[in-house]
Amino acid sequence: MIKYCTSFLFALLLVSSVGYSQKAGVELLCSPRKDSILLRWAPVDQKTWKVGNSYGYTVVRYTILRDRKIPKEITATQLTKEPLKPRPLAEWEPLSDNKYVAIAGECIFNNEYSGVPTGGNPFIAVKKYKYDEHRFSFALYAADQSIVAAKLSGLYFADKTAQPNEKYLYKVFISQPDTSVRIDTASAFTGISEYQALPKPLDFKAEWGDRKAELSWNFKYLKHIYNSYVVEKSNDGGKTYLPITESGTVQLADAGVSPELIHKDDSLTSNDTMYYYRVRGISAFGETGPPCDSIFGMGIKPIKTAPIITENVAIDNKVIKLAWDYPEDMNRYIS
């Protein structure tokens, strides 16, 4: 069994790229590439997530435009031979070194409350509900951060048969055998001709302090493209950059709050070294965008030492000559 322990909860905010979807049941986003169209979808709640895991998702494509004209007949092409659902556990285990694969697998295959009756106890019912909410949120967060986890979870498809002279309406729906749980179909309209290169992050800034850098950049403007970011640092003049954390940086906010900036603090080993920073965006398709323009600077040592006046001489009762001492090693930090 895949096991991965973590002590915090990320709520997934699945954002759209080129295609926009309906707001109930399943949400879909598309990313046109030069030779294919990538599709990612997600259920909007844990009840839909459970149904999707049981019955899988079917992807259907309609050709709406060909050479800028509407075809005489618009027919449906089913792109999935069978519904896409989480792959068997045996296919997850060889990839469990990927922490996002481990998180998603743990959420899908390990249910502590499976088969546990509530017995009419409202406290057990609430615990089961919260536990399922946590599993749902973690599983979708992991799929959002790793395209491998998304594939194994049955939440990803690459349409490699798309043609550059056509535009399509894609639909994704859960292949449930009955309608006891009504789940809306997700849809999105796009084509290879809408391909755009991934953009650079915007408004990257830094505030320098005592052995620390406070970084910020605009999240709101590109939230329809990027769902997390990688901050990279160099201490060799910008020749070599390394990520400052193992995981991507995501924007967390209270419900109903839409902040514009992401803030990230980083510690510096020295105030005497010039550090360079840059940031890259990561899309829900596992694509890493180009880095923004680098910024650089040094830590600032706090001024805690006061100058000591060692001499004061009055000259002609008009001018006073002063002399003071100040530590030599602090001169570089004052202006």
Side-chain angles (χ1 to χ4, degrees):
M1 171 61 70
I2 297 173
K3 292 188 177 180
Y4 184 87
C5 297
T6 185
S7 59
F8 56 89
L9 171 64
F10 287 101
L12 174 73
L13 296 176
L14 187 61
V15 295
S16 61
S17 178
V18 177
Y20 294 88
S21 72
Q22 298 174 7
K23 295 299 182 182
V26 179
E27 290 193 347
L28 169 68
L29 64 97
C30 301
S31 178
R33 300 292 92 194
K34 293 180 179 180
D35 58 355
S36 61
I37 296 177
L38 310 182
L39 287 76
R40 275 277 287 112
W41 57 89
V44 299
D45 56 43
Q46 58 99 354
K47 182 181 292 186
T48 307
W49 176 64
K50 287 183 176 180
V51 176
N53 288 346
S54 297
Y55 299 111
Y57 300 85
T58 296
V59 181
V60 177
R61 184 185 73 191
Y62 298 83
T63 303
I64 304 300
L65 292 175
R66 181 178 292 119
D67 296 323
R68 300 186 179 182
K69 296 180 181 179
I70 300 176
K72 292 181 179 181
E73 294 185 8
I74 297 178
T75 58
T77 301
Q78 184 170 320
L79 300 178
T80 49
K81 294 181 179 180
E82 57 185 21
L84 299 176
K85 61 175 69 175
R87 303 301 301 165
L89 180 60
E91 295 184 26
W92 293 69
E93 290 178 333
L95 302 170
S96 60
D97 287 343
N98 180 321
K99 65 180 178 181
Y100 296 116
V101 169
I103 292 172
E106 180 74 6
C107 293
I108 292 172
F109 295 104
N110 187 17
N111 184 356
E112 293 181 6
Y113 285 92
S114 178
V116 177
T118 62
N121 188 325
F123 294 103
I124 296 179
V126 170
K127 289 187 76 172
K128 289 183 68 174
Y129 174 80
K130 288 185 176 180
Y131 179 73
D132 284 342
E133 283 290 312
H134 290 182
R135 291 172 59 218
F136 161 69
S137 298
F138 273 119
L140 265 65
Y141 168 75
D144 228 18
Q145 300 303 309
S146 167
I147 203 64
V148 177
K151 288 180 181 178
L152 291 170
S153 300
L155 301 175
Y156 169 87
F157 182 80
D159 181 9
K160 298 181 180 180
T161 63
Q163 301 299 312
N165 64 323
E166 297 177 341
K167 285 195 175 183
Y168 308 105
L169 175 67
Y170 290 95
K171 289 190 175 183
V172 176
F173 56 90
I174 295 178
S175 307
Q176 53 184 344
D178 56 63
T179 57
S180 58
V181 179
R182 186 185 174 204
I183 300 174
D184 290 343
T185 299
S187 60
F189 178 73
T190 190
I192 287 180
S193 61
E194 295 186 9
Y195 163 77
Q196 291 182 346
L198 294 174
K200 296 180 179 181
L202 303 172
D203 300 332
F204 189 40
K205 299 177 181 178
E207 295 289 337
W208 306 92
D210 182 21
R211 294 193 177 187
K212 69 176 181 178
E214 299 175 1
L215 310 169
S216 66
W217 61 95
N218 189 293
F219 162 80
K220 187 175 182 180
Y221 189 75
L222 296 177
K223 70 178 183 179
H224 63 292
I225 298 176
Y226 296 131
N227 54 31
S228 64
Y229 291 85
V230 174
V231 180
E232 300 175 330
K233 178 169 67 174
S234 170
N235 58 7
D236 61 1
K239 297 177 182 178
T240 305
Y241 284 88
L242 295 175
I244 65 173
T245 58
E246 293 184 3
S247 304
T249 299
V250 299
Q251 175 61 280
L252 300 179
D254 295 331
V257 178
S258 182
E260 292 189 4
L261 301 179
I262 288 183
H263 296 272
K264 182 69 176 178
D265 293 347
D266 185 43
S267 59
L268 309 177
T269 56
S270 169
N271 286 326
D272 301 324
T273 302
M274 185 70 70
Y275 293 95
Y276 289 70
Y277 287 96
R278 67 187 188 187
V279 64
R280 297 173 180 264
I282 302 176
S283 75
F285 298 90
E287 301 166 303
T288 301
C292 67
D293 295 337
S294 299
I295 55 178
F296 56 90
M298 302 173 66
I300 300 175
K301 191 171 183 177
I303 306 301
K304 298 181 179 179
T305 304
I308 300 174
I309 295 178
T310 57
E311 181 182 4
N312 60 90
V313 179
I315 301 174
D316 298 333
N317 292 324
K318 295 180 180 180
V319 177
I320 295 180
K321 178 181 178 181
L322 298 177
W324 62 87
D325 281 342
Y326 196 70
E328 183 67 28
D329 61 346
M330 289 297 297
N331 281 334
R332 66 165 67 181
Y333 300 107
I334 62 175
S335 59

